[in-house]
Amino acid sequence: AQSVTQLDSQVPVFEEAPVELRCNYSSSVSVYLFWYVQYPNQGLQLLLKYLSGSTLVESINGFEAEFNKSQTSFHLRKPSVHISDTAEYFCAVSNTDKLIFGTGTRLQVFP
Amino acid sequence: DTAVSQTPKYLVTQMGNDKSIKCEQNLGHDTMYWYKQDSKKFLKIMFSYNNKELIINETVPNRFSPKSPDKAHLNLHINSLELGDSAVYFCASSQDGWERGTDTQYFGPGTRLTVL
């Protein structure tokens, strides 16, 4: 069975500081990995995903994540965060018909 | 022009009542989903439909019955509501996610259900 672990339930950070949100997964087969973001009172939106190829994937708003097969990780990073990045971030894994989500990490950016 | 819409946005009701949540997507997608997000933000799939056919039915009480009149709609009917049903319910859709697992899912804004 697949599972996803997000070790940090909350990450407080000051504006313009770098941030890393951690995600580890377990699976006995090849997987596809996703990061979704949920802004307050909204549904989830895809931030980025890894399907195959280059292990470093980027989003349009400056986030990036690196697939590390040996460490079974897919950590999300941003070199300089903005107030508007305050949201809940969900890591998810899929191999066929459904997404398995982690418990989420709340990123709180302070001025 | 909302891609995935849900109604109502908020639903407050008494225990034992029956209620429905509607979902519509205008993306032309083949697959639709219902998720439940509990008070700790944990998100878990409940059902998925592909072209009106049930694909996934997780261990959800049979008080929950999804209905897909066409591939653009997936409604959720809940009988005999219980306190533990209080949660935010999200509808989602994807182009053809049910057998490849690679497709992006597009989520609706959610329906916050409160059972008193």
Side-chain angles (χ1 to χ4, degrees):
Chain A
Q2 299 164 317
S3 66
V4 178
T5 302
Q6 291 182 248
L7 293 168
D8 307 303
S9 60
Q10 296 187 64
V11 173
V13 64
F14 286 108
E15 195 171 20
E16 297 183 8
V19 72
E20 177 180 81
L21 306 183
R22 295 181 291 170
C23 173
N24 288 87
Y25 69 93
S26 69
S27 175
S28 57
V29 297
S30 296
V31 296
Y32 307 115
L33 293 157
F34 303 76
W35 275 99
Y36 280 81
V37 58
Q38 184 179 24
Y39 297 105
N41 299 313
Q42 294 185 30
L44 281 73
Q45 306 171 31
L46 180 73
L47 195 56
L48 46 76
K49 62 182 176 182
Y50 170 77
L51 303 181
S52 64
S54 172
T55 56
L56 185 67
V57 289
E58 298 176 352
S59 72
I60 57 172
N61 56 356
F63 283 94
E64 63 179 31
E66 184 154 22
F67 170 58
N68 187 319
K69 189 174 181 180
S70 63
Q71 297 187 7
T72 60
S73 68
F74 191 54
H75 301 331
L76 183 70
R77 301 184 183 95
K78 188 169 184 179
S80 175
V81 294
H82 302 290
I83 296 282
S84 59
D85 292 324
T86 293
E88 194 86 24
Y89 291 79
F90 292 92
C91 183
V93 63
S94 159
N95 74 329
T96 50
D97 58 355
K98 61 184 175 184
L99 283 176
I100 307 296
F101 284 92
T103 49
T105 297
R106 172 143 181 83
L107 175 63
Q108 180 76 51
V109 181
F110 294 95
Chain B
D1 275 32
T2 305
V4 182
S5 59
Q6 295 178 228
T7 54
K9 191 170 174 64
Y10 300 96
L11 187 52
V12 181
T13 188
Q14 300 283 339
M15 264 197 318
N17 284 350
D18 303 339
K19 290 293 178 186
S20 292
I21 307 172
K22 295 187 176 181
C23 177
E24 176 181 2
Q25 55 96 1
N26 62 8
L27 298 166
H29 288 168
D30 291 335
T31 306
M32 295 184 73
Y33 311 80
W34 276 109
Y35 288 87
K36 180 180 180 180
Q37 186 176 48
D38 64 22
S39 58
K40 295 184 178 173
K41 298 279 188 176
F42 182 60
L43 199 67
K44 192 172 189 312
I45 190 165
M46 300 171 69
F47 303 101
S48 79
Y49 270 71
N50 179 267
N51 276 317
K52 300 181 0 179
E53 183 181 343
L54 181 65
I55 301 298
I56 294 173
N57 183 347
E58 292 292 291
T59 50
V60 177
N62 58 15
R63 298 181 295 104
F64 290 79
S65 52
K67 295 251 183 333
S68 182
D70 55 61
K71 76 172 195 177
H73 295 84
L74 181 62
N75 304 323
L76 184 65
H77 189 75
I78 316 169
N79 289 327
S80 303
L81 278 155
E82 300 177 358
L83 292 176
D85 297 333
S86 294
V88 181
Y89 291 84
F90 287 100
C91 178
S93 72
S94 66
Q95 178 66 39
D96 185 20
W98 76 277
E99 63 180 357
R100 296 186 306 176
T102 59
D103 289 341
T104 297
Q105 292 190 19
Y106 294 81
F107 284 77
T111 295
R112 183 175 293 277
L113 172 64
T114 304
V115 183
L116 303 174

